[in-house]
Amino acid sequence: MADPVSLFPNLLQPAAKTYAPMGIKFWEGEATVLDSMKEFADGWFERRRIGTRAALEAARRIGEATTPLDAFREYQDWLGGATARVLEDGMAWQQQFMKANAKLAPHLQKQEAPNESSAPAPEDRLSA
């Protein structure tokens, strides 16, 4: 009796050769995204540590302030640093997003921009 595997041609090989490069690109992209997420998270935690230390020091200085103006000045100093760290978070996210996008974008299919001749004529468009 013939072996059932040998009765059929190897149907998997052409599909594997076709889809394997796409799978490889996908998982390379996944690794890039994970690396970017880790880099962002490490920076975020460091900024939170700095912020916590700054808040602790501000609380101590506010508690030791001799006038309400001194206390308010300490609060303003802390608030300025906190705002700067929030802006750093936004910039870090934007940088990571741009790096990931630059890595992944070349692998996306380029679509042709529609030219003016392919746009529907005004009388062909449906109105609301």
Side-chain angles (χ1 to χ4, degrees), residues 26-98:
F26 173 82
W27 290 111
E28 286 174 348
E30 183 75 10
T32 300
V33 168
L34 290 173
D35 291 342
S36 292
M37 289 172 65
K38 181 183 183 323
E39 185 178 337
F40 174 77
D42 290 346
W44 185 89
F45 277 107
E46 184 57 30
R47 287 186 293 278
R48 298 295 77 77
R49 284 187 194 100
I50 291 169
T52 300
R53 286 190 294 258
L56 177 59
E57 288 301 315
R60 285 185 181 140
R61 288 191 304 266
I62 289 170
E64 296 168 355
T66 55
T67 67
L69 184 59
D70 291 338
F72 186 69
R73 189 175 299 121
E74 295 298 334
Y75 171 75
Q76 279 186 315
D77 289 345
W78 169 81
L79 185 60
T83 303
R85 284 184 293 279
V86 168
L87 291 173
E88 287 178 39
D89 287 345
M91 290 175 64
W93 179 85
Q94 183 181 21
Q95 289 171 351
Q96 294 305 321
F97 180 80
M98 296 301 286

